[in-house]
Amino acid sequence: MSAICVPGRKKLTEIGGEDSTKCRCVSPSGNSDQHRLDCEREDYLNDVSVILPVHDAARWLDECLQSVLEQDFQGSMQLSVYNDASKDESMNIIRKWATRLEDRGVHVVIGGHESSHPKGVGFAKNQAVVQSFGRFLCFLDADDVMMPQRVRLQYEAALRNNNCIIGCQVKREPEGSTERYTRWINNLTQEQLVTQVFTSHGPTVIMPTWFCSRKWFNYIGKFDEGGKGVPEDLLFFYESLRKGGSVFRVDHCLLLYRYHLEAATHAVLEETIWKQRVTFLEERVLSRWPSFTIWNAGKQGRRLYRSLSAINQKKVVSFCDVDQSKITKGFYTYQESKDKPKPKVTILHFTEAKPPFIICVKLDLTGGGFEGNLNSLKLTEGLDYYHFS
């Protein structure tokens, strides 16, 4: 495929044949190795690179690229597009917009491959980062739309927050879709951006809103390139936290976040996410707790118990619930265990159970009933309990 690179109005030279993902950028100095050297020196050609992986996104690209054009950021900005084997009109649309963006001072670099199968979101993001020139990286999905102030506000936040993944609030499209999830994205407190990283919702700042320094991205590594079904954003997010990274959200709605059934996230199995969450919970929380209670003696609580390592199962002193039938039964027997006798765990009313708790009750589903029960105990999130569901 052909490719375009316009840092300093120079061109990009394609290397290889039809299946090639390699291209060589010619810098303003004329040195084809300048990009690598600039990154090592932190002497970047642009302040911000917008990272845009593309696969068969023709229906959304006009709006997406228009939103790049309309950014009010006054620093130098680049768009780095990587085409992951699109078979629709995506590349024609991108080339059309490249000229408009260049005329407005936005540097454009386009790479990709035309093999028979896409190599996945993680691969495309990594390639878009590699071919880019910015000191900071602003991630954008091809089906989403940025508000005009997004790059400016997140850039300002990134300058104040080192070693950090910066997110923002979002507007869901269609309006009203995934209402609970959208409320969760937008209403977490700064503390909850860290304490609620184990929930089924995934990263507490969602991937299409991510903004971070190239230096931090390179320190974490790169996105997993396993392809379809791999939660590359969750894996990267957890690794960032493992390496001491922080999380921050700009409390402005800076992205129109589309919901549709073709989104890559729908290809990730719930079981895959579950295993990653359990592993991270055991590593970050349960490893330092001598004992704990699982809040929910029902399906989700029992599933968590069964998923724990043998060491952490032994730390579970009780389940707690409000369901009188479960409480009256008195205990849960782990029938699948190979131990003899089978492990039995007491079931208590939540008012009789002792913290710390791992809570396997979904938020925002009981008309405030669960939240009221939890608040009545006067506990501190991140110290006395963590949410898991």
Side-chain angles (χ1 to χ4, degrees):
M1 64 171 291
S2 62
I4 304 168
C5 179
V6 200
R9 301 290 181 167
K10 298 291 181 178
K11 291 186 177 180
L12 178 94
T13 304
E14 180 186 5
I15 297 176
E18 180 179 344
D19 192 40
S20 175
T21 60
K22 296 180 180 179
C23 56
R24 175 165 56 235
C25 288
V26 182
S27 77
S29 67
N31 184 346
S32 62
D33 292 326
Q34 187 70 34
H35 175 215
R36 176 177 55 80
L37 295 174
D38 284 343
C39 290
E40 290 174 357
R41 297 198 319 260
E42 299 186 15
D43 181 16
Y44 304 110
L45 296 178
N46 300 103
D47 293 318
V48 177
S49 289
V50 176
I51 303 300
L52 182 64
V54 174
H55 172 69
D56 289 344
R59 76 190 73 177
W60 301 294
L61 273 171
D62 281 322
E63 285 185 84
C64 177
L65 294 172
Q66 178 72 35
S67 76
V68 176
L69 186 71
E70 292 177 348
Q71 291 301 297
D72 63 13
F73 180 60
Q74 295 300 304
S76 59
M77 190 169 72
Q78 175 196 55
L79 174 67
S80 178
V81 181
Y82 191 84
N83 172 42
D84 188 20
S86 293
K87 300 297 187 283
D88 62 3
E89 289 297 305
S90 291
M91 282 308 301
N92 290 333
I93 295 170
I94 290 164
R95 291 189 183 102
K96 175 188 70 176
W97 277 96
T99 300
R100 300 182 190 178
L101 290 161
E102 293 159 21
D103 289 343
R104 292 283 292 272
V106 178
H107 298 160
V108 179
V109 57
I110 304 172
H113 68 103
E114 297 176 354
S115 59
S116 57
H117 299 288
K119 297 186 178 182
V121 178
F123 176 84
K125 288 174 185 173
N126 288 336
Q127 292 299 314
V129 170
V130 166
Q131 71 186 20
S132 68
F133 293 84
R135 179 186 172 200
F136 289 92
L137 307 174
C138 175
F139 290 91
L140 176 63
D141 284 354
D143 52 355
D144 296 330
V145 178
M146 297 193 290
M147 305 309 175
Q149 66 272 38
R150 180 192 172 185
V151 171
R152 172 174 57 85
L153 292 180
Q154 289 193 301
Y155 177 80
E156 292 171 356
L159 292 177
R160 298 190 301 267
N161 295 273
N162 296 322
N163 303 341
C164 190
I165 294 178
I166 309 289
C168 66
Q169 294 175 326
V170 302
K171 177 182 179 182
R172 202 59 154 144
E173 177 68 32
E175 187 175 355
S177 58
T178 65
E179 287 187 15
R180 288 179 55 249
Y181 179 49
T182 305
R183 280 196 296 272
W184 182 80
I185 291 169
N186 289 335
N187 295 324
L188 290 170
T189 66
Q190 179 59 38
E191 292 76 18
Q192 288 172 331
L193 293 177
V194 176
T195 60
Q196 294 200 13
V197 297
F198 310 104
T199 71
S200 59
H201 290 314
T204 49
V205 290
I206 61 170
M207 172 63 215
T209 73
W210 285 9
F211 192 107
C212 67
S213 71
R214 180 184 298 275
K215 182 177 180 181
W216 185 246
F217 180 89
N218 289 341
Y219 177 67
I220 301 308
K222 63 179 183 178
F223 292 108
D224 188 292
E225 297 184 355
K228 187 175 181 180
V230 173
E232 80 289 334
D233 55 344
L234 182 64
L235 296 175
F236 188 95
F237 186 72
Y238 281 172
E239 189 61 20
S240 179
L241 293 173
R242 284 187 181 103
K243 292 188 173 180
S246 56
V247 190
F248 182 81
R249 187 186 65 220
V250 176
D251 283 335
H252 294 274
C253 178
L254 303 180
L255 189 78
L256 179 68
Y257 180 37
R258 281 201 173 93
Y259 175 82
H260 57 89
L261 295 180
E262 297 172 35
T265 185
H266 296 300
V268 182
L269 296 177
E270 189 272 341
E271 180 66 23
T272 301
I273 299 290
W274 176 275
K275 290 178 179 178
Q276 293 295 333
R277 292 166 53 216
V278 171
T279 297
F280 200 57
L281 178 71
E282 291 188 308
E283 174 188 321
R284 303 282 286 190
V285 177
L286 303 186
S287 63
R288 54 187 173 83
W289 281 359
S291 63
F292 64 98
T293 296
I294 295 177
W295 190 318
N296 186 352
K299 182 178 179 181
Q300 288 297 301
R302 298 194 304 269
R303 182 185 179 191
L304 173 60
Y305 176 83
R306 293 193 301 268
S307 300
L308 296 174
S309 67
I311 291 174
N312 285 315
Q313 284 178 356
K314 290 180 171 60
K315 294 180 181 180
V316 179
V317 294
S318 66
F319 289 91
C320 72
D321 213 297
V322 294
D323 187 328
Q324 195 57 49
S325 63
K326 295 185 179 71
I327 296 168
T328 300
K329 184 178 179 180
F331 56 86
Y332 162 69
T333 303
Y334 182 25
Q335 297 289 356
E336 294 86 353
S337 174
K338 296 179 180 179
D339 294 346
K340 293 183 180 180
K342 304 291 186 184
K344 290 185 177 181
V345 183
T346 303
I347 301 175
L348 303 172
H349 190 272
F350 79 93
T351 58
E352 298 176 347
K354 293 183 179 180
F357 298 101
I358 296 299
I359 297 176
C360 293
V361 181
K362 290 187 180 296
L363 293 165
D364 200 13
L365 271 182
T366 60
F370 163 71
E371 288 81 0
N373 290 338
L374 178 59
N375 290 337
S376 71
L377 299 182
K378 309 295 184 184
L379 302 175
T380 301
E381 185 171 359
L383 178 64
D384 301 308
Y385 68 90
Y386 284 89
H387 289 283
F388 185 76
S389 289

